[in-house]
Amino acid sequence: MSKVWRRIRRPLTWVFAIAAVFYLVIIFFAWLGVSFSGPGGPSQQINPAEATRNFGNVAGGVLRTYVFFVIQFITLPFIIVAQFAFLFWFLARGTTYTIFPGEYDVGFDDVRGQDHIVRSTREVMRVFQGYKDFRKLGGHPPRGVLFEGPPGTGKTLLAKAIAGETGVPFMYASGAGFANMFLGIPQLKVRSTFKKARRYSDRWGGCVIFIDELDSIGGSRSGNTNAGGRSAGGGLGTIVGRYVMPGGMGGGGMNLVNALLTEIDGVDKPPRMQRFLRRHLRLPPRTVDRHNLLIIGATNMASTLDAALVRPGRFDRKMHVGIPSRDGRRDIIAYYLSKVTHEPVDLERIARLTQGYSPAALRNLVNEALILALQDGRDALNWDDLWRAYLTNDAGLAEQVTYSPNVKAATAIHEAGHAMACHFLASHRTVTIITVRKRAGALGMAYGHLEDETFGAKRSEMLGNIKFYLAGMVAEEIWLGETSTGPGSDLEAATQHVLHMIANLAMGEENMLSLGVLSGRSLIEDDVSAALRDPRLRDEANRILHECKDEVRRLLLDKRVAMEAVRDALVEHDEISGDEFRAILYEVGAITEPPRSMRPLPIVRQV
């Protein structure tokens, strides 16, 4: 009996308290003076004792007389609160798009060129799907996974594959979608998103939340406040960001980061109604279940994320989704070519040409080639279409500009000099195209791709690049007698290269210090200024440039016949391919080994 009484004691207390309040209100209004004989009857004061003896009649009179006032007193605050509640609900409603199992046909087989990332992601998903078994073994499944890497490398595609293969709801959210100018709304959006994810987890056994562009809401808080909680900056911007629009100003405020940190790895709470009933009915507490949630973030700027966001227990599993290797590029190109009608193409060659291309760039290359084929009235793309798309992507779209004979000849000798230096002095590069057509603002272009897959550069290769840049200037001096403004950008690139060598990489004779410590990055404008102000570094850089220039001069004078043959071919055809360039060198005896293909590629006409 005592156990039953302990359970019902609190509800009965609430009932008696409400009845007492109702009684006191009626007695108070009776004392003020009401008519209990009807709305039109005389009003009179009733003492509490008499009002208590005639409570039923008095209560009816009070309610009839003040019914409108009571209704207004009750409903007006409710309407005001409801308006604000609806406004905040509207502003804080979920900004996510939920993909349920079976709605996506993208899988891990569609992610090409990133085999190691796919394997790691499959392992994480295997643990996620076996959540209960892993917990029984005493393990803690990964709560957060971070995909970071350059744009276009396949981070969002990996998320689509997860949505198509996990078998649980997949919630897609954009980091920018959480931003709002009103204080507290971004935090409500975060809480609403995770609340919905927990409901899905209870129903489906798990839920995946994917936050794209995580850096827009998870930026480091050190730039907002210092250890004392005061703004590190000052002025009007600080005041506006702190008091007027603290929820906005880019959406990555400190409060939003705090809300995200709490939701990812905070305290797991039981359902509110379950907790309320158990507490008031004196039922024993129930163990709080940990929801099976996996939060995946994607960003191009992982270095800007808050340190607490990437600590163990949150986004602790970091996967770098980088630029694919040559084998990866070949696999990606074959995958996208399989989706379109095409003639046989040399996959190995296009994979070698596209070093540094992301999967998104390779997909765009195939798409542009298909557009060119359709423009020519064909329904199948061929190698020539891929070649033209590659040139347009790397060298720019050819412009309809007619050069005078003198300008065309000067441009041709300039670009021929670049091509000769690339072939003979920068052996790590292979000439791809030489053109005297105006592309991307340049009057002409000699373009060379890296022959082998490289992940760095040796000193000899960097010197080869410098010689390649200076060759156009040297060619103009020899064949035109003076230089023009054309080599300006070439000289700038050569200067940056040589300063980077001696000021950052210790590839000079004396300097062993790196100016990169000034900024924590590689050579930038401030470091160039610092290097040029140092007379020793400036003199050594100037000496290396002169040595490279002299070597280029000796080469071009020795290969004069080949230079003039390449120049004449450019003047006649406007544009020659790398195979045609090497065929010319072989025909004039500049090289003794015939090129891989004596049948050159078709000369590419105006795109």
Side-chain angles (χ1 to χ4, degrees):
M1 188 68 181
S2 59
K3 180 183 283 189
V4 175
W5 169 248
R6 283 199 303 268
R7 291 187 177 181
I8 67 174
R9 183 176 60 184
R10 181 170 292 185
L12 288 178
T13 302
W14 279 102
V15 170
F16 285 125
I18 294 172
V21 170
F22 180 73
Y23 169 76
L24 292 176
V25 169
I26 295 298
I27 295 301
F28 174 73
F29 277 102
W31 180 79
L32 286 178
V34 301
S35 171
F36 55 85
S37 60
S43 299
Q44 57 180 324
Q45 279 189 336
I46 303 174
N47 59 61
E50 185 178 355
T52 302
R53 289 193 298 269
N54 300 279
F55 186 78
N57 197 13
V58 171
V62 170
L63 294 178
R64 285 193 303 270
T65 303
Y66 290 95
V67 63
F68 177 76
F69 173 77
V70 172
I71 293 175
Q72 188 179 34
F73 181 78
I74 295 175
T75 58
L76 186 59
F78 176 77
I79 293 174
I80 296 175
V81 172
Q83 288 177 342
F84 278 97
F86 177 77
L87 175 63
F88 278 92
W89 172 85
F90 180 77
L91 294 175
R93 69 193 191 281
T95 57
T96 59
Y97 175 75
T98 304
I99 302 170
F100 292 98
E103 292 184 347
Y104 244 47
D105 59 353
V106 180
F108 287 114
D109 292 338
D110 297 304
V111 182
R112 300 300 184 96
Q114 304 282 3
D115 293 341
H116 61 293
I117 295 296
V118 172
R119 285 195 300 269
S120 299
T121 306
R122 285 184 183 272
E123 292 172 1
V124 172
M125 301 315 299
R126 191 177 300 114
V127 174
F128 171 73
Q129 292 170 332
Y131 170 81
K132 293 183 178 179
D133 295 335
F134 195 75
R135 289 283 289 174
K136 289 179 181 178
L137 296 175
H140 297 277
R143 195 66 179 264
V145 177
L146 181 64
F147 292 146
E148 59 95 11
T153 51
K155 298 182 292 294
T156 304
L157 181 60
L158 274 168
K160 293 179 180 179
I162 292 172
E165 293 202 6
T166 52
V168 298
F170 179 92
M171 298 177 64
Y172 173 84
S174 170
F178 290 103
N180 197 283
M181 66 179 292
F182 296 107
L183 177 64
I185 297 301
Q187 293 90 303
L188 289 177
K189 288 186 176 182
V190 171
R191 190 166 68 177
S192 173
T193 299
F194 279 83
K195 184 178 179 180
K196 185 187 296 185
R198 293 187 184 98
R199 290 202 306 267
Y200 288 147
S201 177
D202 292 337
R203 180 178 177 184
W204 295 83
C207 182
V208 178
I209 303 175
F210 176 70
I211 305 177
D212 205 0
E213 305 300 340
L214 180 64
D215 52 275
S216 62
I217 63 171
S220 176
R221 291 169 292 179
S222 61
N224 298 326
T225 58
N226 57 20
R230 295 176 178 268
S231 175
L236 180 61
T238 301
I239 297 174
V240 171
R242 201 176 195 185
Y243 300 107
V244 182
M245 299 175 65
M249 308 303 288
M254 182 178 65
N255 293 334
L256 181 54
V257 178
N258 290 339
L260 188 62
L261 294 174
T262 303
E263 293 294 339
I264 292 177
D265 191 34
V267 177
D268 292 298
K269 300 178 289 292
R272 184 174 300 177
M273 183 58 65
Q274 178 192 114
R275 187 181 182 188
F276 176 82
L277 293 176
R278 286 185 170 274
R279 188 173 68 250
H280 287 83
L281 295 178
R282 302 286 184 170
L283 296 175
R286 183 179 178 183
T287 304
V288 179
D289 294 330
R290 183 177 174 88
H291 294 87
N292 186 21
L293 300 180
L294 180 65
I295 301 95
I296 301 175
T299 179
N300 305 327
M301 300 182 292
S303 60
T304 65
L305 295 179
D306 191 86
L309 200 62
V310 294
R311 65 108 166 134
R314 292 189 175 123
F315 287 104
D316 51 358
R317 180 68 66 92
K318 305 176 189 66
M319 300 186 187
H320 179 76
V321 188
I323 300 298
S325 62
R326 180 184 297 183
D327 292 338
R329 294 194 301 273
R330 184 172 60 247
D331 185 28
I332 293 170
I333 295 170
Y335 172 76
Y336 286 118
L337 283 176
S338 67
K339 295 180 176 296
V340 300
T341 307
H342 67 281
E343 299 176 7
V345 297
D346 189 348
L347 292 177
E348 181 62 30
R349 186 171 189 180
I350 193 65
R352 188 172 63 252
L353 287 174
T354 53
Q355 182 172 352
Y357 273 47
S358 67
L362 294 173
R363 181 182 63 182
N364 184 68
L365 178 69
V366 174
N367 191 65
E368 288 294 328
L370 183 61
I371 292 175
L372 293 173
L374 295 176
Q375 289 175 349
D376 289 346
R378 293 176 283 107
D379 57 358
L381 65 85
N382 54 28
W383 170 260
D384 187 52
D385 299 318
L386 284 172
W387 176 253
R388 288 189 293 166
Y390 168 77
L391 287 180
T392 302
N393 184 72
D394 266 36
L397 190 66
E399 302 178 22
Q400 298 288 345
V401 177
T402 302
Y403 295 152
S404 66
N406 291 335
V407 172
K408 191 172 186 179
T411 305
I413 200 65
H414 179 103
E415 302 307 332
H418 281 308
M420 295 291 290
C422 180
H423 182 82
F424 290 101
L425 300 179
S427 57
H428 62 292
R429 289 185 174 273
T430 300
V431 176
T432 304
I433 187 72
I434 316 170
T435 177
V436 292
R437 290 177 181 157
K438 190 171 174 32
R439 287 179 181 268
L443 296 180
M445 186 175 297
Y447 190 79
H449 68 274
L450 294 173
E451 181 64 23
D452 297 319
E453 200 82 6
T454 60
F455 303 96
K458 295 180 289 187
R459 186 178 188 275
S460 59
E461 293 173 347
M462 297 193 71
L463 289 175
N465 291 334
I466 295 173
K467 297 167 189 174
F468 168 73
Y469 293 134
L470 296 176
M473 173 190 293
V474 176
E476 289 187 8
E477 290 179 352
I478 296 174
W479 272 269
L480 304 180
E482 58 181 352
T483 60
S484 64
T485 59
S489 59
D490 298 331
L491 186 58
E492 179 181 344
T495 303
Q496 288 181 343
H497 255 66
V498 70
L499 288 176
H500 185 45
M501 285 175 54
I502 62 177
N504 286 81
L505 303 177
M507 290 184 177
E509 293 182 353
E510 298 181 1
N511 181 62
M512 282 293 293
L513 302 176
S514 173
L515 293 183
V517 300
L518 297 176
S519 60
R521 297 188 296 270
S522 58
L523 197 68
I524 59 173
E525 184 178 353
D526 292 341
D527 297 340
V528 172
S529 301
L532 291 176
R533 286 194 299 267
D534 188 326
R536 293 175 301 172
L537 295 180
R538 186 174 62 248
D539 291 344
E540 185 173 6
N542 194 46
R543 179 183 58 79
I544 293 176
L545 289 175
H546 277 288
E547 290 176 356
C548 291
K549 182 179 179 182
D550 292 341
E551 187 173 352
V552 172
R553 179 182 294 274
R554 290 193 295 270
L555 169 74
L556 298 186
L557 290 175
D558 185 57
K559 305 292 183 182
R560 177 184 290 270
V561 175
M563 273 284 296
E564 293 176 352
V566 174
R567 177 200 60 188
D568 295 341
L570 284 172
V571 170
E572 180 180 358
H573 300 292
D574 293 344
E575 197 165 86
I576 60 176
S577 67
D579 283 349
E580 292 171 326
F581 166 72
R582 285 179 286 276
I584 293 172
L585 296 184
Y586 180 75
E587 289 173 1
V588 300
I591 58 176
T592 57
E593 183 179 352
R596 287 173 298 192
S597 174
M598 285 301 294
R599 189 174 71 86
L601 293 171
I603 294 176
V604 181
R605 299 302 176 187
Q606 289 280 4
V607 178

